[in-house]
Amino acid sequence: MKIAAIRATPVNIPLEAPYLWSYGSLAGFSKTIVEVETSDGLVGLGEGPSPANAATILNGFAPRLIGQDAFDIAACERLCLPSWRGVYADVDFAGIRAFGAVEMALWDLRGKAAGRPLHDLFGGRVRDAVTFTDYFSFREKKDGIGGESDPEAVLDYCLRQKERFGTTMFEGKLSTADPKPSIRTLELLRDRLGEDAVLRIDSNKAYSLATATRIARAIEPLGISAWEDPVATFEDMAKLRRYTAIPFSVHTPDLRRAVALGVPDAFCTDVNVHGGIGRALKFIAACEQMGLDFWCYSGDSGIASSVYLHLAAAHDHIREPSQSLFHMQPFDVIEEGPLRPRGNLVPVPTGPGIGVTLSKDKLAFCHRHFVEHGPFDKFHDPDRPGVFRRLPLS
């Protein structure tokens, strides 16, 4: 089965309202949708985390891959990427992530050719549905949606999510320059949602070690399940561990440092950061061996999100809920989406390959949004437009 054509389309995936985080305000995500077509007419789907992936794939990878065996992923990687053994300073990080999008499509082709869902190729399904957290944050208002600007408004949003969707697992931003409103939000949520609700937080490296230590003392009694990127480095995180038992999670997939320093307790990544599904499978297995948890990223087009469903379905070790912005995403590019958790759960696709269908209409809409508006600026500071924030905030 030879690769006959590769298409890479930059798209915007808008959120219903911009949310606030440590670097500013985020109105949506800009991605690349990949289609790899074979000589016998099968089309595999992939997703890249940046619109810049499109140029790399079309100009750099496609001329090398046309005519290659779509099943021989190792050979395709050798044609596209220099040797690498992890995401370090001496590797082409952008190229690795771009190849991850193509590699995802090649796995989709494997499943479609075999008539089997991805989780079967990973070893079989151990669960039929996967748990996800529902996101909360202070948000700007857009078209009458959002506008949660104080702890009480965020509480009301989460209570509505619980009433509408049965959500009892939440993850939200704790990244305000003054941490008091964020801490107050957590206090309200724990009081009103009850002690059994899952509460995770994400600070996106907003705080100095001193401020994070003060925050830890304030929120320790609230039963926080995980705190993502409370400080900028693993080393500072190891120092913070002296003052709190709250588990830490990170996006940086540096397993060697994690084992050496004893932190973090979990990794939250997409598959692209590893260069594709194959390497992500190895990373998950290594995490299991070293006793570190793993869960998946958020803010995708529906294609990568469905891959996460297969990963979690095939691994007993992925026991914690993955991240989800699903209820904040009015758009994606798949016919089956946007995905909508009910009671924290999303069913695992059972169709061949990734198990989802690309919507040509949605793809066209999201591409047109990208062309007309440009990529989303996730570092936009609404308080000081045109100036980039510097961390730590406090």
Side-chain angles (χ1 to χ4, degrees), residues 119-309:
H119 55 257
D120 280 358
L121 305 188
F122 299 160
R125 187 172 72 236
V126 298
R127 53 181 65 90
D128 297 327
V130 174
T131 55
F132 286 86
T133 58
D134 211 344
Y135 230 77
F136 66 86
S137 180
F138 297 114
R139 295 195 294 175
E140 297 182 275
K141 180 168 284 190
K142 176 185 174 184
D143 299 330
I145 299 174
E148 296 87 7
S149 59
D150 57 52
E152 289 74 19
V154 175
L155 171 64
D156 289 342
Y157 171 82
C158 292
L159 291 176
R160 289 196 302 272
Q161 296 302 98
K162 181 180 180 181
E163 181 179 355
R164 292 178 63 192
F165 305 111
T167 305
T168 60
M169 298 179 174
F170 292 91
E171 179 166 352
K173 297 298 183 188
L174 195 161
S175 55
T176 47
D178 177 1
K180 293 187 185 68
S182 294
I183 294 171
R184 178 58 180 160
T185 299
L186 294 176
E187 291 172 341
L188 291 173
L189 289 174
R190 177 54 74 204
D191 179 61
R192 294 293 301 277
L193 293 173
E195 63 180 15
D196 293 333
V198 171
L199 286 181
R200 295 198 314 215
I201 53 176
D202 181 1
S203 292
N204 295 115
K205 305 179 182 181
Y207 299 115
S208 66
L209 176 59
T211 300
T213 301
R214 291 194 295 271
I215 293 172
R217 288 170 175 160
I219 65 176
E220 180 87 39
L222 301 178
I224 304 302
S225 297
W227 188 0
E228 188 170 280
D229 287 323
V231 287
T233 67
F234 284 29
E235 288 75 15
D236 277 353
M237 199 176 294
K239 295 175 183 177
L240 183 61
R241 167 60 72 235
R242 303 171 189 170
Y243 304 101
T244 181
I246 298 172
F248 300 137
S249 63
V250 298
H251 292 315
T252 306
D254 195 334
L255 187 56
R256 287 179 181 268
R257 286 172 67 214
V259 172
L261 294 170
V263 289
D265 306 276
F267 291 98
C268 170
T269 76
D270 59 12
V271 300
N272 298 90
V273 74
H274 301 285
I277 291 172
R279 288 180 181 259
L281 291 170
K282 296 175 183 178
F283 186 84
I284 294 167
C287 287
E288 181 176 8
Q289 182 68 21
M290 302 311 300
L292 299 174
D293 279 318
F294 178 94
W295 54 80
C296 296
Y297 219 52
S298 57
D300 301 292
S301 75
I303 297 172
S305 304
S306 300
V307 171
Y308 305 155
L309 288 169

Side-chain angles (χ1 to χ4, degrees), residues 330-347:
F331 305 104
D332 63 15
V333 301
I334 61 174
E335 294 285 1
E336 298 81 0
L339 304 176
R340 292 287 184 258
R342 296 293 190 278
N344 313 306
L345 293 168
V346 176

